[in-house]
Amino acid sequence: MQSSLSTLLFAAIYHESGRPSVAAGNTLAHSVGQAKPFTEFADLEPDAQHGRITTAGLILAAVEPYCPAFGSTPRSDAVDWLARIIHNAERTAIENGWVVIKLNPPRPWIPFDELPEVAQAGRRGQATYLLARFGFQEFAGGTVIAAE
């Protein structure tokens, strides 16, 4: 698989965005009693790294047109919007078994609205982490603007 450097770097950052959710117990694996400690990106199995890189590329493709650097208007629902993009981008990895936690029995991809609330909270945590990491600040009403 050929990936751009930006996709590889974002894959590691995207993976790191899950650390707080794992620590807080806000993952689907936690909701079904099959959670494991957080695994560093470099220590992931090759198929899980492949899944993270694939997902990162899909996230980047989905959010780039909305980046303020390209003159887009800030979204009023940025955290929920990005949480759904993250979740939807993982579908390819999940359907191909390129996942960090291989649940037993294997799980099919589940639409965001059907996730347990704890897993939805974990996705929102990832979105908040990424928005903060890239210099966005959330203000009242959920509006996100570039940090000064």
Side-chain angles (χ1 to χ4, degrees):
M1 180 177 113
Q2 178 98 8
S3 298
S4 71
L5 180 57
S6 60
T7 302
L8 291 171
L9 290 171
F10 184 67
I13 294 167
Y14 149 68
H15 178 70
E16 186 66 26
S17 76
R19 184 186 298 269
S21 297
V22 171
N26 290 341
T27 70
L28 185 60
H30 282 92
S31 72
V32 295
Q34 296 183 39
K36 296 179 181 173
F38 185 83
T39 303
E40 300 300 331
F41 185 80
D43 296 329
L44 292 174
E45 294 293 325
D47 63 335
Q49 279 191 0
H50 179 79
R52 290 300 200 213
I53 293 165
T54 299
T55 300
L58 293 169
I59 293 169
L60 288 172
V63 302
E64 186 176 43
Y66 301 97
C67 180
F70 295 108
S72 69
T73 303
R75 296 187 59 94
S76 62
D77 62 343
V79 171
D80 193 58
W81 172 79
L82 185 54
R84 289 172 184 276
I85 285 175
I86 293 166
H87 184 70
N88 291 337
E90 283 195 350
R91 185 174 188 162
T92 299
I94 290 167
E95 289 177 344
N96 285 288
W98 306 329
V99 294
V100 176
I101 305 287
K102 293 181 176 24
L103 298 179
N104 186 14
R107 70 176 171 100
W109 184 81
I110 301 168
F112 186 86
D113 291 330
E114 295 176 21
L115 286 174
E117 182 54 41
V118 68
Q120 288 183 23
R123 289 287 189 229
R124 288 184 187 99
Q126 284 183 280
T128 301
Y129 175 96
L130 291 171
L131 289 166
R133 179 91 169 120
F134 289 100
F136 295 90
Q137 295 177 350
E138 186 173 1
F139 290 86
T143 301
V144 175
I145 62 171
E148 295 182 17

